[in-house]
Amino acid sequence: MSKSILVTGGAGYIGSHTVLLLLQAGYTVVVVDNLSNSSEESLLRVSRITSRAVKFYDVDIRDYDALERVFKDYKFDFVIHFAGLKAVGESVNQPLSYYRNNVEGTLTLCRVMNKYNVKSIVFSSSATVYGNPDSVPISENFPTSATNPYGRSKLIVEQVFQDLYVSDSDWNISLLRYFNPVGAHPSGLIGENPSGIPNNLMPYIAETAIGKRDKLSVFGGDYNTHDGTGVRDYIHVMDLAEGHLKAIDFLQESKGLHIHNLGTGKGYSVLDMVNAFSAVSGMAVSYEIIERRSGDIAECYADPTKAQKELNWTATRSIEDMCRDTWSWQSKNPNGYSD
Ligand code: NAD
Ligand code: WQD
């Protein structure tokens, strides 16, 4: 019998790409998502690509009773927990909403998991938990801190999982700290679908290239980096999705609580990304360098050695792959899933 996985937030950007790989690997996949930042169309397209069905429940993870009904219907082997809110700026203005969705939602999920004796979980954490690191590359043993409510919600949830594991070592927990996910499935059928004006660099570049935005504002040209613009560890979403399958394999052999960075270990600047995108797409991306964005750091990239060794996982896709697949998705779906 194939193993069953509950994927919370599975209709979203990283979730939908991971669901696709899980289906292709033969897992039975059940998604719960309240569609607050996604569309069921992503899952319909995943089914189309894989010719496999995804069972979908329109459920908010804060709703204990609704979640319990899902656990009554299926006996899960694992949970992959993507559901949550992720916009840093919004979290500053709406902290309660972020703590409710990200912290309370996780607590409710864990309570139901406990009741149904499902105690293996992979959690979407973030490089944001490293706050303002003293140096790069960043390894898992670096000190953690938060600079905004979104980051604090991730840190709190990580700490909840640590306490849960101390209280009951039957739990198997994988905390994956993602760096900057970009790109899309190479089919161009699924991808990142931000609502409104994108906060993140790559969707902003793509929307500028297609003519939805006039020009990109580059936040700061005076950082101590090779061209003065901010440097990040951009990771292709398919590499990231593969990391989740490896994390599940690893949890079955190595019980316990584990923390891994999922990044490439390479840093690219804003202008590196703009230039690579223009070269790959053949489209001009106008930009203007303006003042720094509050809260940004100069450089952030991973030391991915631990994930390479323990998960047997390495990001293989290049910056050109990231730009090509983003452009394929953007040009085929100029208005995202509403097309
Ligand atoms: P996304 O918004 O595309 O996906 C999150 C999904 O969760 C959405 O489909 C949304 O509708 C759903 N959701 C939100 N609150 C919910 C709730 N209360 N109940 C049920 N469903 C709910 O975001 P993503 O980029 O795919 O991110 C997935 C996870 O990875 C998030 O936890 C995010 O914080 C984390 N993460 C993302 C990034 C990034 O840059 N994209 C980086 C690091 C970590
Ligand atoms: C990347 C670079 C910007 C937009 C955020 C979250 C982090 C994680 C990933 C969830 C920076 C520059 C951006 C623009 C720009 N998410 N930029 N013009 O800030 O590294 O990380 O997403 O966990 O927690 O903080 O990503 O894509 O916003 O920015 O110049 O319009 O692009 O200054 O150097 P960031 P980003």
Side-chain angles (χ1 to χ4, degrees):
M1 258 242 319
S2 75
K3 300 226 174 196
S4 289
I5 306 206
L6 174 68
V7 182
T8 75
Y13 172 43
I14 306 168
S16 56
H17 290 79
T18 305
V19 166
L20 187 151
L21 291 186
L22 291 168
L23 291 170
Q24 287 178 334
Y27 290 100
T28 299
V29 181
V30 177
V31 168
V32 300
D33 198 303
N34 66 357
L35 304 179
S36 59
N37 195 38
S38 55
S39 148
E40 203 183 337
E41 176 66 18
S42 63
L43 295 176
L44 297 175
R45 295 192 185 184
V46 165
S47 287
R48 206 202 301 168
I49 298 167
T50 58
S51 304
R52 294 266 329 262
V54 189
K55 181 71 194 154
F56 172 65
Y57 290 83
D58 185 348
V59 158
D60 191 306
I61 56 163
R62 291 167 294 177
D63 184 341
Y64 186 98
D65 295 337
L67 213 44
E68 188 170 17
R69 283 194 285 279
V70 182
F71 278 74
K72 279 185 179 146
D73 288 350
Y74 291 88
K75 169 83 191 86
F76 295 115
D77 297 288
F78 308 97
V79 174
I80 305 183
H81 178 31
F82 295 104
L85 303 180
K86 64 166 181 177
V88 171
E90 189 183 65
S91 81
V92 175
N93 296 320
Q94 301 173 25
L96 298 182
S97 178
Y98 274 69
Y99 291 123
R100 285 208 64 211
N101 275 279
N102 297 4
V103 180
E104 186 189 327
T106 303
L107 296 180
T108 306
L109 173 67
C110 290
R111 282 165 56 219
V112 179
M113 288 176 69
N114 227 353
K115 178 165 177 188
Y116 287 83
N117 204 29
V118 179
K119 293 186 175 175
S120 292
I121 186 164
V122 177
F123 172 64
S124 303
S125 188
S126 166
T128 192
V129 302
Y130 296 115
N132 206 336
D134 287 338
S135 61
V136 280
I138 302 167
S139 48
E140 289 83 352
N141 56 12
F142 272 36
T144 54
S145 66
T147 52
N148 54 68
Y150 167 71
R152 199 161 294 111
S153 75
K154 291 290 176 192
L155 260 187
I156 292 170
V157 169
E158 284 205 1
Q159 284 158 0
V160 167
F161 280 123
Q162 308 259 10
D163 290 341
L164 190 57
Y165 179 64
V166 168
S167 76
D168 176 359
S169 59
D170 283 348
W171 277 85
N172 292 304
I173 299 166
S174 167
L175 307 179
L176 299 179
R177 293 176 175 164
Y178 315 154
F179 280 67
N180 288 59
V182 296
H185 187 262
S187 64
L189 282 171
I190 58 170
E192 188 171 9
N193 186 31
S195 55
I197 301 171
N199 298 305
N200 294 114
L201 178 66
M202 192 58 138
Y204 207 106
I205 290 177
E207 292 196 7
T208 306
I210 200 114
K212 283 174 83 175
R213 313 275 157 216
D214 284 347
K215 63 177 171 213
L216 169 74
S217 294
V218 176
F219 300 140
D222 58 351
Y223 285 109
N224 185 18
T225 59
H226 66 271
D227 61 15
T229 66
V231 165
R232 297 290 182 274
D233 187 335
Y234 297 96
I235 173 167
H236 197 295
V237 68
M238 295 303 297
D239 279 326
L240 193 61
E242 285 169 8
H244 292 74
L245 276 77
K246 294 285 191 177
I248 283 174
D249 292 344
F250 183 68
L251 272 188
Q252 293 173 79
E253 304 148 12
S254 309
K255 306 284 180 194
L257 181 143
H258 307 280
I259 301 179
H260 292 103
N261 283 342
L262 294 185
T264 64
K266 293 192 198 81
Y268 289 108
S269 73
V270 176
L271 294 183
D272 290 336
M273 297 306 282
V274 169
N275 293 332
F277 197 93
S278 293
V280 165
S281 65
M283 306 298 285
V285 178
S286 311
Y287 68 85
E288 176 190 18
I289 298 181
I290 63 163
E291 67 278 9
R292 295 180 179 190
R293 182 171 65 179
S294 150
D296 272 357
I297 54 179
E299 278 191 300
C300 174
Y301 54 90
D303 176 349
T305 318
K306 189 171 181 233
Q308 283 163 7
K309 281 197 189 134
E310 292 187 352
L311 303 183
N312 189 26
W313 170 88
T314 310
T316 58
R317 292 161 179 88
S318 66
I319 181 175
E320 286 77 24
D321 297 329
M322 300 177 204
C323 294
R324 186 199 57 233
D325 293 335
T326 302
W327 179 239
S328 169
W329 154 253
Q330 180 69 66
S331 52
K332 287 178 185 151
N333 307 271
N335 298 309
Y337 290 116
S338 45
D339 282 324

